[in-house]
Amino acid sequence: MPWLAWLLAAAALGAAEFFTLTLVFGLLAGAALVAAVVAGVGIGLLGQLVALGLAAAAGLLVVRPIALRAMAQSPLTHEGSDALIGKRAEVVQEVTATHGLIKVAGEEWSARALDETHVIPVGALVDVMEIEGATAVVYPRELLP
């Protein structure tokens, strides 16, 4: 019967983790599951508490810092229009501070110059600096005449 109490404790801790998202209650729930397995095998209360303590310590001191570091990192791949930032493009229609057209990654995009004083001619190569809605903000790769 003690294993059932550990399972109930694990369920309660799991529910608490669901609402807090701290990675603490979830790891404690895992430790309670370890204690439930130990109780199910027939080891006494002292063994169950030792198993709970060891599993909780391992989770909180080893697993949690690794998980927090992994969650803090930005994804390695960019998706959608974010993937175009930093790409090279060719000007298809003259790009000014307000309008223009470029070809990037095989697609034509409306564009405007990052520097409002630049007028980028057709055929010039530009770098996509950012995306604003459906417009690429570009900067010439070479000095303009």
Side-chain angles (χ1 to χ4, degrees):
M1 189 67 167
W3 61 269
L4 184 58
W6 288 117
L7 285 179
L8 290 174
L13 288 166
E17 177 64 36
F18 178 77
F19 289 110
T20 62
L21 299 175
T22 61
L23 295 178
V24 173
F25 292 117
L27 292 169
L28 292 176
L33 285 176
V34 169
V37 169
V38 169
V41 171
I43 297 176
L45 182 61
L46 182 61
Q48 295 169 29
L49 292 175
V50 168
L52 176 74
L54 290 175
L60 295 175
L61 298 176
V62 177
V63 175
R64 187 171 188 264
I66 294 170
L68 289 176
R69 245 181 284 135
M71 289 173 27
Q73 292 177 349
S74 62
L76 295 176
T77 58
H78 295 285
E79 298 177 349
S81 61
D82 286 341
L84 298 177
I85 296 174
K87 297 276 186 187
R88 183 174 61 174
E90 183 180 354
V91 175
V92 176
Q93 179 184 17
E94 183 178 76
V95 176
T96 65
T98 57
H99 68 280
L101 194 64
I102 61 168
K103 187 165 196 164
V104 60
E107 298 178 341
E108 289 188 353
W109 276 73
S110 60
R112 70 172 183 82
L114 178 65
D115 185 343
E116 294 178 359
T117 62
H118 284 159
V119 175
I120 307 170
V122 174
L125 295 178
V126 294
D127 288 320
V128 178
M129 305 305 284
E130 59 185 280
I131 302 291
E132 291 180 354
T135 302
V137 180
V138 299
Y139 193 81
R141 290 183 68 90
E142 298 177 5
L143 294 176
L144 296 173

